[in-house]
Amino acid sequence: MLIVTSEQMRRIDRCTIDELGIPASALMESAGRAVAEEVLDFCRGRLHSAGGAAGAGTRPDGSPKRGVTSDSPVLEDKLIAPFDGAEREHWLILAGKGNNGGDGLAAARYLQDAGIKVSILCAESPDSFSKEASVQFAAARRSGIPVLETPGLPSDADFGPYTGLVDALLGVGASGEPREPYGGLIRAANGSGLPIVAADIPSGLNADTGQTAQACIRAERTVCIAFLKAGLVQYPGAKAAGEVRVRAVGIPRLAASRIDEGPNAHLITEHSLRETLEIDTSRKRAEDSHKGTYGHVLVVGGSRLMSGAGFMASRAALRIGSGLVTWALPSALLPDIVGHVPELMVAEGAQGDGWNRDSAETILKLAEKMDVLAVGPGLGRFEDDTEWLKELWTGSDVPLVIDADGLNILADAGESLKDWGRRENVVLTPHPGEMGRLLGVPTAELQKDRLGAAKAYAAEHGVTLVLKGARTVVASPEGALFVNTTGHPGMSTGGTGDVLTGVVSGLLAQGLSPLQAAAFGVYLHGRAGERAAELREHPASLLASDVIEAL
Ligand SMILES: NC(=O)C1=CN([C@@H]2O[C@H](COP(=O)(O)OP(=O)(O)OC[C@H]3O[C@@H](n4cnc5c(N)ncnc54)[C@H](O)[C@@H]3O)[C@@H](O)[C@H]2O)[C@@H](O)CC1
Ligand SMILES: Nc1ncnc2c1ncn2[C@@H]1O[C@H](COP(=O)(O)OP(=O)(O)O)[C@@H](O)[C@H]1O
Ligand SMILES: [K+]
């Protein structure tokens, strides 16, 4: 699924209207209908869960049916149709003066037609409405939909008669903190306790970064128009948006491919993995394969106080299907490890009980027979470690995955990293703390624009970057972005990152490109986390090792 910025969306709109000749009014009409359908779907769902109106219009499992039903030889449009219990609904449309307001005003007519009561509250004088919104306003008026005349901002009591709100205040044309009366209306809407369905984006959301203004709608559901906006899939925006439903309104994908600097960001789905990234997601193995077919991963990590990290990365690399995995670690630790994972090979990475500068030579020697080097899990820091990592970076062209202290070493290298030379087969897997160190900015600062930060770093350093955390972002050196939605907060536990390192390394070993391995890796890792959590009483009980076993 394509992800767009607000600027791209505006240009796609223009291309649709000016170049393809599709009337703006037709698009707004479709958008309004989509918003109304989602409000009605929400109402039906709510009625059903309250035990109100099951039966007609519901599936055998009790969930509301979508689309036309076949209980009669003549099919009616069931999406916009009166339903039992509709008379109990009364929705208030909060309409801004731009085209987002127009979407809400068009929705009002469809809602009225479906038999629910609707009223309109305009944020500004209708005289100031955009051309398309004015047309919608006039049509709503002529349809007899009441327009509230509020001399000031509504108080909580004013929301008394309503059962829900449509937020059509601000869309992708907005910038900055919502000005008054928008800010006050947003706060009042949130304070009402009523469910809110947002048109396109929750008002107050930065559609590009996912940052929320001080006043930002907290929606139950967001009906995103035409293409997914980036801000809806990054926190805190993802939370403000609630359930996101992307609806086609007649803006064709063709228009997205026609604009300059068009969208190059995707949600990671089975479909985008297969079609956009051309990955065989079945992971089918050839009948006549042998272990050499699936590559050999060398994990470089583990230290006296953090041996588990190297262990988990190695084990995950095995579980994801690498042909062979060798774990290189300091020689003094070997006796403790030998035999714990019988399938794993171990090697003396360094002499003694810790890592040292000289061990780079040993690793490079081992790397000659390897397909991937995974550096960092449980590595710790040591003297001259920057020189050590530089030697690994420059001394071999085997694909490299760098995590944990490997990233902290890179951060210390700072600007000198540019002198190491570009190496397009490097995957970095920082969590936000590590990413902040790589960029030399506070974590909170970088989190304000995760997509932008990941994209810029990947392009500047020619690496594939995996910025972890809820809604992990993958960025390629060429500027492609992928956003993952698998996984859950139960995975916020020590070691799950080490597992991801093993997964990505194992996929690289099996011949995937850095971008393919990173995107497919984060997806599979999250899915495994979901499966592993299902076996527990509570997701909080999840251990990183459980994720490995669920791969
Ligand atoms: N043809 C189109 O362009 C389509 C647009 N659609 C809808 O139109 C929306 C975009 O419409 P617009 O470009 O008119 O813009 P919006 O309706 O998002 O809002 C822009 C209006 O709000 C004002 N504004 C901007 N920042 C503000 C702030 N911080 N506080 C208060 N007011 C602010 C602007 O002066 C402008 O009047 C989309 O999000 C979507 O909902 C859909 O109807 C589909 C078709
Ligand atoms: N709330 C969440 N939702 C989805 N995935 C999460 C969430 N919290 C953590 N994760 C995932 O778990 C992993 C944690 O990695 P990391 O922070 O490096 O842990 P560690 O360093 O302990 O191994 C990452 O892949 C991250 O995306
Ligand atoms: K909105």
Side-chain angles (χ1 to χ4, degrees):
M1 186 185 293
L2 211 53
I3 300 176
V4 301
T5 63
S6 47
E7 169 57 25
Q8 286 165 341
M9 191 64 229
R10 280 194 290 271
R11 285 191 280 122
I12 293 169
D13 277 347
R14 289 267 54 95
C15 172
T16 306
I17 297 162
D18 298 342
E19 290 179 34
L20 302 179
I22 300 172
S25 55
L27 301 178
M28 188 172 284
E29 195 61 27
S30 298
R33 185 190 160 109
V35 171
E37 283 178 2
E38 295 297 347
V39 169
L40 293 169
D41 180 75
F42 177 84
C43 293
R44 292 192 187 101
R46 175 162 65 174
L47 266 169
H48 170 76
S49 54
T58 54
R59 292 198 191 95
D61 67 358
S63 61
K65 266 183 190 163
R66 294 180 54 82
V68 290
T69 60
S70 54
D71 50 8
S72 145
V74 179
L75 302 184
E76 189 191 9
D77 186 338
K78 285 270 185 194
L79 285 174
I80 303 284
F83 57 97
D84 291 342
E87 67 288 347
R88 278 179 260 153
E89 298 284 353
H90 187 175
W91 283 63
L92 180 65
I93 315 293
L94 304 173
K97 70 169 176 178
N99 288 342
N100 192 251
D103 292 349
L105 295 166
R109 279 185 292 107
Y110 286 101
L111 292 175
Q112 182 192 46
D113 207 34
I116 79 172
K117 265 170 84 180
V118 242
S119 300
I120 292 166
L121 176 63
C122 298
E124 298 187 60
S125 158
D127 301 337
S128 67
F129 279 15
S130 71
K131 184 168 146 245
E132 302 301 337
S134 297
V135 172
Q136 292 295 346
F137 181 72
R141 268 241 121 120
R142 286 190 214 110
S143 307
I145 298 174
V147 178
L148 301 191
E149 308 288 346
T150 50
L153 289 173
S155 68
D156 288 355
D158 294 328
F159 288 111
Y162 306 107
T163 56
L165 304 173
V166 170
D167 157 37
L169 290 168
L170 297 168
V172 294
S175 60
E177 191 73 30
R179 294 185 293 271
E180 292 309 324
Y182 293 89
L185 280 167
I186 291 168
R187 278 186 284 271
N190 287 339
S192 71
L194 293 171
I196 304 175
V197 174
D200 204 15
I201 56 170
S203 301
L205 175 75
N206 181 318
D208 300 338
T209 64
Q211 286 302 294
T212 48
Q214 276 185 13
C216 180
I217 287 289
R218 303 269 157 213
E220 202 80 34
R221 182 175 290 187
T222 293
V223 189
C224 177
I225 307 300
F227 295 108
L228 183 59
K229 315 300 178 303
L232 297 172
V233 287
Q234 287 292 292
Y235 286 95
K239 185 159 170 31
E243 188 188 350
V244 178
R245 297 201 172 174
V246 183
R247 299 290 307 261
V249 299
I251 297 174
R253 274 180 253 281
L254 173 71
S257 64
R258 287 249 182 121
I259 62 165
D260 293 335
E261 290 172 47
N264 194 9
H266 297 264
L267 204 64
I268 300 178
T269 59
E270 284 275 348
H271 185 265
S272 65
L273 289 167
R274 274 199 311 271
E275 303 302 322
T276 312
L277 285 170
E278 298 175 351
I279 298 170
D280 174 9
T281 54
S282 73
R283 296 163 62 203
K284 200 160 178 264
R285 288 164 95 94
E287 296 282 336
D288 59 350
S289 66
H290 52 89
K291 60 181 182 277
T293 316
Y294 303 110
H296 194 161
V297 176
L298 179 69
V299 174
V300 181
S303 51
R304 187 157 295 283
L305 298 180
M306 292 185 292
S307 61
F311 194 80
M312 284 191 284
S314 305
R315 193 168 168 82
L318 279 170
R319 273 274 179 245
I320 204 68
S322 313
L324 293 165
V325 180
T326 298
W327 178 16
L329 69 167
S331 59
L333 308 184
L334 278 171
D336 300 337
I337 304 302
V338 168
H340 278 297
V341 182
E343 301 84 355
L344 189 63
M345 293 185 284
V346 285
E348 280 185 15
Q351 290 302 317
D353 69 352
W355 291 95
N356 53 57
R357 164 78 203 271
D358 295 343
S359 62
E361 204 178 315
T362 315
I363 302 300
L364 285 173
K365 188 92 196 114
L366 287 167
E368 286 170 10
K369 291 198 283 303
M370 300 293 162
D371 299 291
V372 182
L373 240 59
V375 180
L379 185 72
R381 299 296 304 265
F382 51 96
E383 211 179 319
D384 292 333
D385 52 10
T386 310
E387 285 306 308
W388 175 86
L389 187 57
K390 181 181 176 184
E391 239 174 280
L392 299 190
W393 183 291
T394 55
S396 148
D397 52 15
V398 173
L400 198 54
V401 179
I402 305 181
D403 186 33
D405 271 326
L407 296 166
N408 294 328
I409 298 173
L410 271 191
D412 279 359
E415 282 298 298
S416 71
L417 177 56
K418 293 212 179 95
D419 306 330
W420 294 15
R422 266 173 107 85
R423 207 173 178 290
E424 304 236 324
N425 54 5
V426 175
V427 181
L428 308 184
T429 58
H431 59 53
E434 289 154 350
M435 186 74 202
R437 287 193 281 280
L438 285 174
L439 292 170
V441 301
T443 307
E445 198 51 39
L446 111 95
Q447 289 285 83
K448 286 183 186 163
D449 183 8
R450 286 165 53 84
L451 290 161
K455 185 174 173 170
Y457 191 94
E460 186 180 352
H461 296 284
V463 297
T464 298
L465 190 108
V466 177
L467 176 52
K468 294 184 294 196
R471 305 293 162 93
T472 292
V473 177
V474 177
S476 79
E478 294 79 25
L481 286 169
F482 287 83
V483 178
N484 187 47
T485 58
T486 62
H488 55 87
M491 296 176 75
S492 308
T493 179
T496 47
D498 306 316
V499 175
L500 179 69
T501 303
V503 169
V504 172
S505 305
L507 292 172
L508 274 168
Q510 291 169 70
L512 271 66
S513 73
L515 179 60
Q516 288 175 323
F520 198 25
V522 298
Y523 177 80
L524 292 175
H525 177 252
R527 283 265 304 271
E530 289 166 9
R531 275 196 300 276
E534 276 168 23
L535 303 173
R536 306 274 145 209
E537 177 95 7
H538 194 282
S541 304
L542 185 86
L543 298 186
S545 318
D546 301 337
V547 181
I548 302 176
E549 296 319 311
L551 282 167

